[in-house]
Amino acid sequence: MNINGGDDLRALGRDDLQQVCDETRQFLIDTVAKIGGHLAAGLGTVELTVALHYVFNTPDDRLVWDIGHQAYPHKILTGRRDQLSSIRQRGGLSGFLKRSESNYDTFGAGHSSTSISAALGMAVAASQQNIDREVVAIIGDGAITAGMAFEALNNAGDLDADVLVILNDNDMSISPNVGAFKNYLTKLMTGPTVSGVRRGTKKALDALPEVRDYARRWEEHLKGMILPSTFFEEMGFYYAGPIDGHDIDTLVTTLNNLKEIEGPRFLHIVTKKGKGFQAAEDQPVKYHGVSPFNPSTGEFGKKAKIRTFTHVFSDWLCDMAAKDERLIGITPAMREGSGLLRFSEEFPQRYFDVAIAEQHALTFAAGMACDGQKPVVAIYSTFLQRAYDQLIHDVSVQDLDVMLAIDRAGQVGADGATHAGVFDLSYLRCVPHCVIYTPSDEAECRDMLYSAYQHKGLTAVRYPRGSGTGAIEREQMQTIELGKGEIRRQGHKVAILSFGTLLPGALEAAERLDATVANMRFAKPLDGQLIASLAANHDLLVTLEDNVIAGGAGSGVNEYLAASEILIPTLNLGLPDRYIDHGSQAEQHAECGLDADGIEASIKSSRYYVDVATPAPKTNLA
């Protein structure tokens, strides 16, 4: 296979396309087997990817992929095949779509459900500029459960924009899909047939006798193909499908026909996540994102089991639910990632996956809190950004008793900038009634989860991806006094105020500098008494956090010092005012100067730093 872009693919004959699909799929399996990465979603979109680049004049015609999990074949076919082995590694390809990486990546995507809005914007831009261009959005059945997708569909139908939306329906997102819309698609596929063919499907498929034959043979499974009125047509779209998303010839013919139709069009294809690799077909959740494995057997190499902060939360949630029947667990489509699998099995009546609907998740929790339940919303830091208005308007303003378990706080490693949870301290700290816990290790995390749950009002416990120091959690949970930090090392001259899991690096740097280290524990409320004491007994205060400096915990310390009229040099260490590329978390922290070496270097470079071993200058008393 020697394809480095759309022109190379379009130079082939249609009879060659199946071989391209087969080689692309095998290359994807072999590469990801060596390095790990996202697998099952991409295997399901191989034929679609080949067909899209074959039919449309990419990159001039715009393909807007929703999130990047399904776009590995797209990368392979657009000049990045030889770089795929570097994906998600430092200096390598992004695991998602990235405009700066390729002109074929028309819109950056890390979060779901953005493709239809972006494609609609591009279609309107083309119309405004009188450019004849096709614009295609490819969205999964999981991503289309988000409210943003429906907002875009509603707008597209109203504008009568020239845009094609392709629904990649595989009954999966990361976890199995949930919700009424998922049930609607299932009924569309399995219900009884009715007579009549809709105008959009008829026009698109007139030249496809083989598809009509396929429909007749499988009519009980293809209700959508001949349903006279569908949800999508009511939204103003020509609806075509469902068709087999793994039949390359049918895909090419259908897409060519749909090109001839103007206005909003909607193609419903049915695919299988993990297609072509039996292990992934059988266990699509397990093979969504993988570590290296044996491509012949699908078996993963043995590795030591490391207890993560997500495991700590998972066990705490089940332990707490056993003690309090009011506890409700809520997740926006991240059951496995947020650690709710065990809870969903042990407490199914109190587990709610609300689909990819972060805004709804917060207001749903608020409604429960109004009537006496104690909702715990398990959510990634980067996804909580999508529900900021609901956090303020629906939870905080009403001072409701909602707890946020914020996973993936700080740098997240291979997922890079789109998933980095580096803004939550800044955007939570300014919200009234919000208590923010910043555990430094696993044991403290369990106690803080317990403490946050006991507090009446809005609370947030933020913890990083992966593991910490490995501190053993106490089975008997303890309440941590609200807003109280602790001294972890007593030193001289310099005091490091650490927020969260960067504490080990702070302690290591402090040993070299003979500095004091405080584990602040809370970003809000701050331990003002401790800050004042440290300021009174040291020459330099240093704040440390895995969050952007702007508006973060260090800014809170600055504000406290100013309000208290305490004058002392203060150095804020955190993330710079730019996005950090993907790599390991250790590499990202080193780049930002947040490891022990970086902390030491930053302190030593401060004009206010005085080495404790340096003798005081002699004073001339004459």
Side-chain angles (χ1 to χ4, degrees):
M1 181 175 63
N2 188 26
I3 296 171
N4 292 298
D7 289 341
D8 292 339
L9 187 59
R10 290 186 288 274
L12 301 176
R14 281 181 68 160
D15 291 344
D16 298 321
L17 297 185
Q18 187 57 58
Q19 181 180 346
V20 174
C21 293
D22 295 342
E23 292 181 8
T24 300
R25 179 171 277 114
Q26 192 59 52
F27 183 82
L28 176 59
I29 293 169
D30 292 342
T31 303
V32 176
K34 294 176 183 176
I35 62 169
H38 294 112
L39 179 65
L43 291 176
T45 60
V46 169
E47 288 80 9
L48 174 62
T49 305
V50 171
L52 285 169
H53 284 290
Y54 188 74
V55 170
F56 294 101
N57 185 33
T58 57
D60 185 58
D61 286 341
R62 309 301 199 217
L63 301 183
V64 185
W65 294 91
D66 206 281
I67 207 168
H69 300 152
Q70 58 183 337
Y72 281 31
H74 165 80
K75 289 176 182 276
I76 293 171
L77 296 171
T78 54
R80 289 166 280 181
R81 177 183 63 252
D82 294 339
Q83 297 171 271
L84 194 69
S85 60
S86 72
I87 201 163
R88 292 164 53 85
Q89 299 171 40
R90 193 69 170 169
L93 295 180
S94 169
F96 301 99
L97 282 302
K98 195 171 184 179
R99 282 170 54 84
S100 61
E101 188 175 288
S102 170
N103 60 350
Y104 284 93
D105 290 3
T106 60
F107 195 77
H111 295 182
S112 78
S113 314
T114 62
S115 59
I116 304 175
S117 296
L120 178 59
M122 293 176 187
V124 171
S127 176
Q128 293 283 316
Q129 299 170 46
N130 294 315
I131 297 174
D132 184 16
R133 171 181 291 146
E134 294 290 335
V135 182
V136 184
I138 306 100
I139 189 168
D141 55 329
I144 208 170
T145 62
M148 184 176 178
F150 286 97
E151 292 171 10
L153 288 171
N154 179 62
N155 193 206
D158 181 60
L159 292 176
D160 197 32
D162 195 16
V163 63
L164 170 62
V165 176
I166 299 177
L167 173 63
N168 175 28
D169 181 2
N170 62 18
D171 199 33
M172 291 289 296
S173 48
I174 296 176
S175 303
N177 284 332
V178 298
F181 190 73
K182 174 261 186 183
N183 294 335
Y184 169 78
L185 292 176
T186 301
K187 291 177 182 177
L188 198 66
M189 290 297 294
T190 59
T193 60
V194 293
S195 60
V197 178
R198 297 173 325 285
R199 53 178 182 158
T201 301
K202 185 177 186 301
K203 190 171 182 180
L205 303 182
D206 270 344
L208 288 174
E210 69 275 21
V211 174
R212 291 198 299 272
D213 291 343
Y214 179 78
R216 282 194 292 270
R217 290 196 306 271
W218 297 96
E219 60 184 1
E220 72 276 15
H221 298 297
L222 294 173
K223 176 183 178 182
M225 180 167 279
I226 52 177
L227 191 65
S229 177
T230 72
F231 171 84
F232 301 105
E233 285 195 333
E234 294 299 321
M235 296 288 283
F237 283 76
Y238 284 115
Y239 173 86
I243 65 171
D244 183 356
H246 298 301
D247 186 330
I248 185 65
D249 192 59
T250 296
L251 281 169
V252 168
T253 302
T254 303
L255 291 172
N256 273 319
N257 289 335
L258 284 170
K259 280 176 63 176
E260 303 305 314
I261 301 174
E262 295 182 354
R265 292 145 290 160
F266 194 101
L267 173 61
H268 183 178
I269 72 169
V270 179
T271 61
K272 189 171 185 62
K273 193 170 184 179
K275 175 70 174 178
F277 186 55
Q278 194 61 50
E281 289 188 26
D282 294 341
Q283 300 182 78
V285 173
K286 181 177 180 180
Y287 285 86
H288 170 76
V290 298
S291 57
F293 62 92
N294 185 327
S296 299
T297 64
E299 295 178 351
F300 294 94
K302 292 184 179 180
K303 58 180 182 179
K305 290 186 177 180
I306 300 174
R307 185 163 176 77
T308 67
F309 282 93
T310 305
H311 293 141
V312 173
F313 167 73
S314 177
D315 290 343
W316 169 83
L317 188 67
C318 292
D319 292 345
M320 200 70 235
K323 297 175 182 293
D324 188 350
E325 293 184 353
R326 297 179 306 134
L327 188 151
I328 300 293
I330 300 171
T331 178
M334 293 302 296
R335 182 183 66 180
E336 283 78 13
S338 291
L340 273 77
L341 179 59
R342 179 186 160 199
F343 180 82
S344 70
E345 295 168 346
E346 295 185 12
F347 302 94
Q349 299 305 314
R350 290 192 269 160
Y351 164 74
F352 294 91
D353 182 340
V354 300
I356 302 177
E358 293 87 358
Q359 293 174 302
H360 165 61
L362 266 290
T363 305
F364 177 58
M368 285 194 168
C370 284
D371 281 344
Q373 298 299 120
K374 179 72 175 189
V376 177
V377 181
I379 189 168
Y380 286 10
S381 172
T382 187
F383 298 153
L384 182 59
Q385 295 164 188
R386 309 183 85 176
Y388 193 53
D389 180 62
Q390 288 67 32
L391 177 73
I392 295 172
H393 182 271
D394 298 337
V395 180
S396 175
V397 169
Q398 303 185 90
D399 197 14
L400 292 174
D401 194 12
V402 173
M403 177 180 167
L404 305 176
I406 304 176
D407 204 332
R408 270 57 168 187
Q411 291 293 348
V412 293
D415 282 339
T418 59
H419 284 59
V422 298
F423 305 105
D424 54 70
L425 290 182
S426 300
Y427 69 68
L428 288 175
R429 212 173 52 77
C430 61
V431 177
H433 308 305
C434 186
V435 176
I436 309 169
Y437 296 77
T438 59
S440 61
D441 59 33
E442 295 89 337
E444 194 168 62
C445 184
R446 180 173 170 88
D447 286 342
M448 285 190 174
L449 289 165
Y450 178 73
S451 302
Y453 188 83
Q454 302 305 317
H455 181 83
K456 185 173 176 58
L458 174 59
T459 57
V461 183
R462 51 115 58 184
Y463 44 91
R465 181 177 192 171
S467 58
T469 63
I472 304 299
E473 307 126 64
R474 290 177 287 270
E475 184 175 349
Q476 186 65 38
M477 294 174 282
Q478 299 181 8
T479 301
I480 294 176
E481 185 178 355
L482 183 66
K484 290 298 180 182
E486 62 173 0
I487 298 294
R488 292 292 293 268
R489 184 189 189 280
Q490 188 64 59
H492 302 85
K493 302 288 187 179
V494 176
I496 303 174
L497 288 67
S498 178
F499 296 86
T501 54
L502 296 178
L503 181 63
L507 289 168
E508 184 178 341
E511 284 294 325
R512 305 172 191 172
L513 302 170
D514 192 19
T516 296
V517 177
N519 175 24
M520 295 304 293
R521 288 179 164 172
F522 293 85
K524 184 180 181 181
L526 289 168
D527 189 339
Q529 184 177 356
L530 178 57
I531 295 171
S533 175
L534 292 170
N537 294 284
H538 296 81
D539 298 330
L540 174 66
L541 297 186
V542 180
T543 66
L544 179 66
E545 60 193 299
D546 195 1
N547 188 85
V548 292
I549 293 174
S555 292
V557 172
N558 297 344
E559 293 159 13
Y560 174 83
L561 292 170
S564 303
E565 299 183 348
I566 299 173
L567 300 179
I568 182 172
T570 304
L571 173 64
N572 300 134
L573 300 182
L575 300 171
D577 190 24
R578 59 182 173 84
Y579 294 102
I580 307 302
D581 284 337
H582 54 280
S584 70
Q585 287 167 296
E587 289 171 331
Q588 292 172 326
H589 288 152
E591 177 183 338
C592 299
L594 299 180
D595 59 352
D597 291 342
I599 296 167
E600 179 186 11
S602 294
I603 293 173
K604 283 185 173 180
S605 66
S606 170
R607 58 181 292 194
Y608 298 104
Y609 171 71
V610 178
D611 192 324
V612 294
T614 302
K618 293 182 180 180
T619 303
N620 187 352
L621 300 177

